[in-house]
Amino acid sequence: MKRIFSSHDLISVHHARNLLDAAGIPAVVRNELLSSAMGELPPVECQAELWVVDAGDAARAERILREGRGPQAAQGPGWRCTGCGETLEAQFTQCWRCGATRGAEGVSG
Ligand SMILES: [Zn+2]
C-alpha cells in the first residue's frame, strides 16, 4: 500500500480513484469518513487519501493523476485517437502518445 494523493475534496479523490480504476490499478480511498467530519479535527487529519494497493503501481498511478486530474477533468466521455488508437480522457485535446489533435477524424493524409 502506498499513498499517492490526498485532498480535502472528496470528489477529486474519488475521481482520482476512478482514473486509476480505468487504468486497471487497484486503489482505495481512506479517511473518507474523517473528511466529512471537517471542523472537528485539524485539517491535516481529515484529508481523504488515495492509496494504491500495490506500491509497485505508484509511479504509474502518479503519472496518470498528473495527466488526468484537474479542474477540467471528467467533462464527458473520453475519445479515441484516430492516429494511434489510444483512448484519452475528455479533457485532453491532443493525444499524448502521437500528438494528433482531437476531432481530426476524416482529415487523414
Ligand atoms: Zn494518438
Side-chain angles (χ1 to χ4, degrees):
M1 296 282 285
K2 186 175 195 299
R3 189 184 68 186
I4 59 163
F5 176 58
S6 63
S7 172
H8 293 299
D9 180 4
L10 197 56
I11 292 171
S12 67
V13 174
H14 274 277
H15 176 64
R17 196 193 68 86
N18 288 341
L19 289 176
L20 299 190
D21 195 47
I25 298 175
V28 296
V29 176
R30 285 185 169 180
N31 284 358
E32 191 169 357
L33 297 177
L34 274 180
S35 96
S36 66
M38 189 109 79
E40 307 284 329
L41 295 164
V44 71
E45 293 294 329
C46 46
Q47 288 195 351
E49 298 177 339
L50 182 66
W51 293 65
V52 290
V53 174
D54 182 349
D57 286 332
R60 191 159 70 97
E62 284 170 355
R63 185 175 63 80
I64 288 168
L65 297 189
R66 256 202 321 276
E67 292 171 352
R69 186 162 47 83
Q72 286 88 33
Q75 284 187 335
W79 55 286
R80 184 174 291 271
C81 175
T82 54
C84 68
E86 182 67 32
T87 301
L88 295 125
E89 296 282 330
Q91 70 268 28
F92 296 118
T93 57
Q94 195 175 19
C95 175
W96 57 265
R97 176 175 282 177
C98 73
T101 303
R102 182 182 190 176
E105 290 93 341
V107 194
S108 64

